[in-house]
Amino acid sequence: MSRQGPRGTTRPPSRRDSRRPAVRRVPPAAPPHPTELFTQRLLLVLCGTRPPHWFARYTADRAYDDLLWLVARRPLGTGGRRPTIHEIGYFEAAADTFEVFARITAGPRLHALAFRMYLSEDRRWRVTAVELGGRPPRQSR
């Protein structure tokens, strides 16, 4: 004759078995680097998933005009296949300023995305220039 506790075990309800492994807590993942975050955001706009005005608050100077020029030409339109980021790299040009480059595949083609971003006085990241494919978005004057 055995006495069963409330959970169908023979141990008292307040007892803890020290032989069981402790539950391991996984530390929270570090937030993504701003260069990764902005590369993903730009990719969403350039492939048509998000409208250009969604990214307008993250731009400064002529970057929004450059982005509109690129979106109008649909360089990453792949006919249903979503572009993917292969590699992201950056160069820290000055304190709180990054020049970012990324390799993006869209269908069978490989594209190069480059942009410059800085931390503004209001402590928000802003993109100041965007290029895709190594060509300047506008004619030089």
PDB file of all heavy atoms in Angstrom, residues 34-46:
ATOM      1  N   PRO A  34      22.795  48.431 -35.054  1.00  0.00           N
ATOM      2  CA  PRO A  34      22.010  49.342 -35.903  1.00  0.00           C
ATOM      3  C   PRO A  34      22.239  49.126 -37.397  1.00  0.00           C
ATOM      4  O   PRO A  34      21.317  49.314 -38.196  1.00  0.00           O
ATOM      5  CB  PRO A  34      22.487  50.731 -35.480  1.00  0.00           C
ATOM      6  CG  PRO A  34      23.084  50.561 -34.141  1.00  0.00           C
ATOM      7  CD  PRO A  34      23.559  49.152 -34.047  1.00  0.00           C
ATOM      8  N   THR A  35      23.425  48.700 -37.779  1.00  0.00           N
ATOM      9  CA  THR A  35      23.678  48.470 -39.200  1.00  0.00           C
ATOM     10  C   THR A  35      22.835  47.311 -39.732  1.00  0.00           C
ATOM     11  O   THR A  35      22.327  47.375 -40.851  1.00  0.00           O
ATOM     12  CB  THR A  35      25.165  48.189 -39.449  1.00  0.00           C
ATOM     13  OG1 THR A  35      25.560  47.052 -38.677  1.00  0.00           O
ATOM     14  CG2 THR A  35      26.021  49.376 -39.075  1.00  0.00           C
ATOM     15  N   GLU A  36      22.654  46.280 -38.931  1.00  0.00           N
ATOM     16  CA  GLU A  36      21.820  45.147 -39.341  1.00  0.00           C
ATOM     17  C   GLU A  36      20.359  45.561 -39.426  1.00  0.00           C
ATOM     18  O   GLU A  36      19.651  45.203 -40.367  1.00  0.00           O
ATOM     19  CB  GLU A  36      21.976  43.999 -38.359  1.00  0.00           C
ATOM     20  CG  GLU A  36      23.362  43.399 -38.318  1.00  0.00           C
ATOM     21  CD  GLU A  36      23.513  42.380 -37.210  1.00  0.00           C
ATOM     22  OE1 GLU A  36      22.514  42.024 -36.574  1.00  0.00           O
ATOM     23  OE2 GLU A  36      24.651  41.936 -36.979  1.00  0.00           O
ATOM     24  N   LEU A  37      19.914  46.308 -38.451  1.00  0.00           N
ATOM     25  CA  LEU A  37      18.519  46.749 -38.399  1.00  0.00           C
ATOM     26  C   LEU A  37      18.181  47.637 -39.598  1.00  0.00           C
ATOM     27  O   LEU A  37      17.162  47.446 -40.263  1.00  0.00           O
ATOM     28  CB  LEU A  37      18.277  47.485 -37.086  1.00  0.00           C
ATOM     29  CG  LEU A  37      16.859  47.851 -36.749  1.00  0.00           C
ATOM     30  CD1 LEU A  37      16.028  46.594 -36.536  1.00  0.00           C
ATOM     31  CD2 LEU A  37      16.838  48.691 -35.492  1.00  0.00           C
ATOM     32  N   PHE A  38      19.059  48.573 -39.911  1.00  0.00           N
ATOM     33  CA  PHE A  38      18.784  49.475 -41.018  1.00  0.00           C
ATOM     34  C   PHE A  38      18.935  48.788 -42.368  1.00  0.00           C
ATOM     35  O   PHE A  38      18.237  49.144 -43.325  1.00  0.00           O
ATOM     36  CB  PHE A  38      19.666  50.720 -40.924  1.00  0.00           C
ATOM     37  CG  PHE A  38      19.073  51.772 -40.043  1.00  0.00           C
ATOM     38  CD1 PHE A  38      19.108  51.645 -38.666  1.00  0.00           C
ATOM     39  CD2 PHE A  38      18.435  52.878 -40.577  1.00  0.00           C
ATOM     40  CE1 PHE A  38      18.539  52.599 -37.846  1.00  0.00           C
ATOM     41  CE2 PHE A  38      17.860  53.837 -39.771  1.00  0.00           C
ATOM     42  CZ  PHE A  38      17.913  53.701 -38.397  1.00  0.00           C
ATOM     43  N   THR A  39      19.787  47.811 -42.485  1.00  0.00           N
ATOM     44  CA  THR A  39      19.886  47.047 -43.728  1.00  0.00           C
ATOM     45  C   THR A  39      18.579  46.299 -43.979  1.00  0.00           C
ATOM     46  O   THR A  39      18.064  46.292 -45.098  1.00  0.00           O
ATOM     47  CB  THR A  39      21.064  46.059 -43.670  1.00  0.00           C
ATOM     48  OG1 THR A  39      22.265  46.787 -43.429  1.00  0.00           O
ATOM     49  CG2 THR A  39      21.187  45.285 -44.966  1.00  0.00           C
ATOM     50  N   GLN A  40      18.030  45.690 -42.933  1.00  0.00           N
ATOM     51  CA  GLN A  40      16.751  44.982 -43.080  1.00  0.00           C
ATOM     52  C   GLN A  40      15.631  45.945 -43.442  1.00  0.00           C
ATOM     53  O   GLN A  40      14.789  45.648 -44.293  1.00  0.00           O
ATOM     54  CB  GLN A  40      16.423  44.238 -41.795  1.00  0.00           C
ATOM     55  CG  GLN A  40      17.352  43.095 -41.511  1.00  0.00           C
ATOM     56  CD  GLN A  40      17.169  42.517 -40.115  1.00  0.00           C
ATOM     57  OE1 GLN A  40      16.410  43.040 -39.306  1.00  0.00           O
ATOM     58  NE2 GLN A  40      17.891  41.451 -39.837  1.00  0.00           N
ATOM     59  N   ARG A  41      15.610  47.122 -42.814  1.00  0.00           N
ATOM     60  CA  ARG A  41      14.563  48.103 -43.115  1.00  0.00           C
ATOM     61  C   ARG A  41      14.668  48.607 -44.548  1.00  0.00           C
ATOM     62  O   ARG A  41      13.652  48.733 -45.243  1.00  0.00           O
ATOM     63  CB  ARG A  41      14.652  49.271 -42.139  1.00  0.00           C
ATOM     64  CG  ARG A  41      14.212  48.921 -40.747  1.00  0.00           C
ATOM     65  CD  ARG A  41      14.419  50.079 -39.802  1.00  0.00           C
ATOM     66  NE  ARG A  41      13.983  49.727 -38.451  1.00  0.00           N
ATOM     67  CZ  ARG A  41      14.209  50.473 -37.389  1.00  0.00           C
ATOM     68  NH1 ARG A  41      14.867  51.611 -37.502  1.00  0.00           N
ATOM     69  NH2 ARG A  41      13.783  50.082 -36.209  1.00  0.00           N
ATOM     70  N   LEU A  42      15.874  48.914 -44.993  1.00  0.00           N
ATOM     71  CA  LEU A  42      16.052  49.367 -46.372  1.00  0.00           C
ATOM     72  C   LEU A  42      15.650  48.288 -47.364  1.00  0.00           C
ATOM     73  O   LEU A  42      15.049  48.577 -48.404  1.00  0.00           O
ATOM     74  CB  LEU A  42      17.503  49.782 -46.608  1.00  0.00           C
ATOM     75  CG  LEU A  42      17.854  51.204 -46.215  1.00  0.00           C
ATOM     76  CD1 LEU A  42      19.353  51.409 -46.263  1.00  0.00           C
ATOM     77  CD2 LEU A  42      17.159  52.194 -47.108  1.00  0.00           C
ATOM     78  N   LEU A  43      15.974  47.050 -47.059  1.00  0.00           N
ATOM     79  CA  LEU A  43      15.612  45.952 -47.946  1.00  0.00           C
ATOM     80  C   LEU A  43      14.093  45.820 -48.077  1.00  0.00           C
ATOM     81  O   LEU A  43      13.580  45.582 -49.168  1.00  0.00           O
ATOM     82  CB  LEU A  43      16.222  44.643 -47.443  1.00  0.00           C
ATOM     83  CG  LEU A  43      16.039  43.429 -48.337  1.00  0.00           C
ATOM     84  CD1 LEU A  43      16.689  43.662 -49.692  1.00  0.00           C
ATOM     85  CD2 LEU A  43      16.613  42.207 -47.680  1.00  0.00           C
ATOM     86  N   LEU A  44      13.379  46.009 -46.991  1.00  0.00           N
ATOM     87  CA  LEU A  44      11.917  45.952 -47.049  1.00  0.00           C
ATOM     88  C   LEU A  44      11.347  47.031 -47.965  1.00  0.00           C
ATOM     89  O   LEU A  44      10.377  46.797 -48.692  1.00  0.00           O
ATOM     90  CB  LEU A  44      11.326  46.100 -45.643  1.00  0.00           C
ATOM     91  CG  LEU A  44      11.514  44.919 -44.702  1.00  0.00           C
ATOM     92  CD1 LEU A  44      11.009  45.275 -43.302  1.00  0.00           C
ATOM     93  CD2 LEU A  44      10.785  43.697 -45.223  1.00  0.00           C
ATOM     94  N   VAL A  45      11.947  48.200 -47.962  1.00  0.00           N
ATOM     95  CA  VAL A  45      11.482  49.280 -48.827  1.00  0.00           C
ATOM     96  C   VAL A  45      11.885  49.019 -50.275  1.00  0.00           C
ATOM     97  O   VAL A  45      11.077  49.164 -51.193  1.00  0.00           O
ATOM     98  CB  VAL A  45      12.023  50.640 -48.336  1.00  0.00           C
ATOM     99  CG1 VAL A  45      11.686  51.747 -49.324  1.00  0.00           C
ATOM    100  CG2 VAL A  45      11.454  50.974 -46.965  1.00  0.00           C
ATOM    101  N   LEU A  46      13.115  48.602 -50.494  1.00  0.00           N
ATOM    102  CA  LEU A  46      13.611  48.416 -51.862  1.00  0.00           C
ATOM    103  C   LEU A  46      12.951  47.247 -52.591  1.00  0.00           C
ATOM    104  O   LEU A  46      12.885  47.252 -53.813  1.00  0.00           O
ATOM    105  CB  LEU A  46      15.131  48.233 -51.847  1.00  0.00           C
ATOM    106  CG  LEU A  46      15.915  49.490 -51.482  1.00  0.00           C
ATOM    107  CD1 LEU A  46      17.378  49.156 -51.271  1.00  0.00           C
ATOM    108  CD2 LEU A  46      15.748  50.553 -52.542  1.00  0.00           C
TER     109      LEU A  46
END
